[in-house]
Amino acid sequence: METASHIWSDGEFVPWDDANVHFLSHAMQYGTGVFEGIRAYNTPEGTAVFRLRDHMIRLEASARAYNIPMRWSVEQWEAACLELLRHTGLESAYIRPQIFYGVGSIGINPANNEVRAMMAAFPWGAYLGDDAAEKGVSTMVSSWRRISHTSLIPTAKGSGGYLNSVLAKQEALAAGQDEAIMLNDSGSVSEGSGMNLFVVSQGIVYTPPVSSGILEGITRNSVIDLLHGDGVEVREVDLVRGALYAGDEMFLTGTAAEVTPIRSVDGRQVGDGSRGAVTKKAQELFSAAVAGKLDEYRHWLEFV
Ligand code: PMP
């Protein structure tokens, strides 16, 4: 990965190589952390963070869900993020804040452990490869089911939960596919290993609801608003596996993946195998929004 000069650590800037964490940190042992993934874009008017407030609100919600004291307010996290971007001088960046339990005790109960707050910003290009935005990615339905509402909290971005995503991603790569699609315990479609899923069928856009076990993506919600604002009908409905084979177009959304077309599922070509018109529209609207070119959505940008 590309690095940056400094990392924000509990309110201070430390050199990138010194942002270390003790081996016996609770989060290291048990995954007791919550985090975010945010992007800052280099727009014609300078660097802007996309939906910074919404990401920090989700960070706070994740922390509350997993009983991790927030320590810093949403506003303080926002200010620290902007300060980090100024301090590192990055024009565009992927930003990773995390709140987690550090050292204290090694037992399961983290209540007496220190709570750490750290945030990195660094350059990161296209998550699913440079060609993916145009040519799309290959996918398979994973044998791993998405974490359920009865054993973890899929709506929260909890570190430990990502073991589930890692299993699905590794399985997909081992099978020669780019990305995994996970079903939930009921067999309905949920999402990718780190992105939400959309299916386009006869001009209508479908995406699984929050009850399906998804993380409610900020890119997902942005794309729903953008398409809706452009007169495209978007429905949040339970999708069966067969819907993945019947769709005319499919795409993934996420902060890292942005809007990425899917060209195949389980060896079956999606549509004619090339990027569809609705997918292209979603990409164009999203690119315009993050570049500050859509007046209606300028409030999504926080300029550094
Ligand atoms: N689902 C999961 C499991 C994710 O990790 C992510 C990335 N945060 C998403 C969906 C997409 O969310 P967002 O658009 O907010 O990045």
Side-chain angles (χ1 to χ4, degrees), residues 46-239:
T47 300
V49 185
F50 186 66
R51 301 194 74 166
L52 177 58
R53 162 113 344 159
D54 295 315
H55 280 284
M56 293 312 185
I57 286 173
R58 189 171 67 185
L59 181 68
E60 185 182 46
S62 297
R64 192 177 313 119
Y66 280 115
N67 278 319
I68 303 178
M70 185 70 172
R71 277 193 51 212
W72 306 80
S73 68
V74 164
E75 291 75 19
Q76 285 171 321
W77 273 102
E78 284 180 74
C81 177
L82 297 173
E83 230 185 293
L84 176 63
L85 290 170
R86 285 182 208 117
H87 200 83
T88 51
L90 293 162
E91 288 183 335
S92 64
Y94 181 82
I95 303 152
R96 170 56 54 84
Q98 189 172 29
I99 309 172
F100 59 96
Y101 278 112
V103 290
S105 81
I106 196 64
I108 292 295
N109 175 23
N112 297 317
N113 290 50
E114 63 177 10
V115 178
R116 303 286 311 273
M118 295 177 81
M119 177 161 45
F122 47 89
W124 201 15
Y127 176 66
L128 290 167
D130 289 332
D131 285 349
E134 216 182 304
K135 298 204 174 113
V137 291
S138 59
T139 65
M140 65 180 276
V141 173
S142 180
S143 68
W144 298 101
R145 298 293 172 101
R146 167 75 178 157
I147 55 170
S148 85
H149 292 285
T150 56
S151 53
L152 278 171
I153 311 170
T155 47
K157 216 166 154 56
S159 301
Y162 278 79
L163 280 172
N164 177 242
S165 296
V166 171
L167 287 171
K169 183 78 181 184
Q170 286 175 331
E171 182 185 48
L173 294 174
Q177 304 297 306
D178 299 315
E179 187 50 52
I181 296 173
M182 280 188 277
L183 308 180
N184 60 26
D185 282 344
S186 313
S188 295
V189 175
S190 185
E191 61 176 355
S193 65
M195 55 286 284
N196 296 113
L197 177 95
F198 289 77
V199 179
V200 186
S201 205
Q202 301 193 37
I204 298 174
V205 178
Y206 299 89
T207 193
V210 174
S211 56
S212 73
I214 61 166
L215 178 78
E216 192 177 357
I218 289 167
T219 319
R220 169 188 183 274
N221 291 356
S222 306
V223 165
I224 290 174
D225 284 357
L226 289 163
L227 285 174
H228 197 249
D230 207 62
V232 179
E233 188 178 342
V234 185
R235 296 185 192 163
E236 293 179 58
V237 287
D238 258 333
L239 296 173

Side-chain angles (χ1 to χ4, degrees), residues 139-141 181 244-245 250 262-268 270:
T139 65
M140 65 180 276
V141 173
I181 296 173
L244 302 174
Y245 308 138
M250 288 206 282
I262 294 176
R263 67 163 189 274
S264 68
V265 191
D266 292 337
R268 294 156 176 82
V270 178

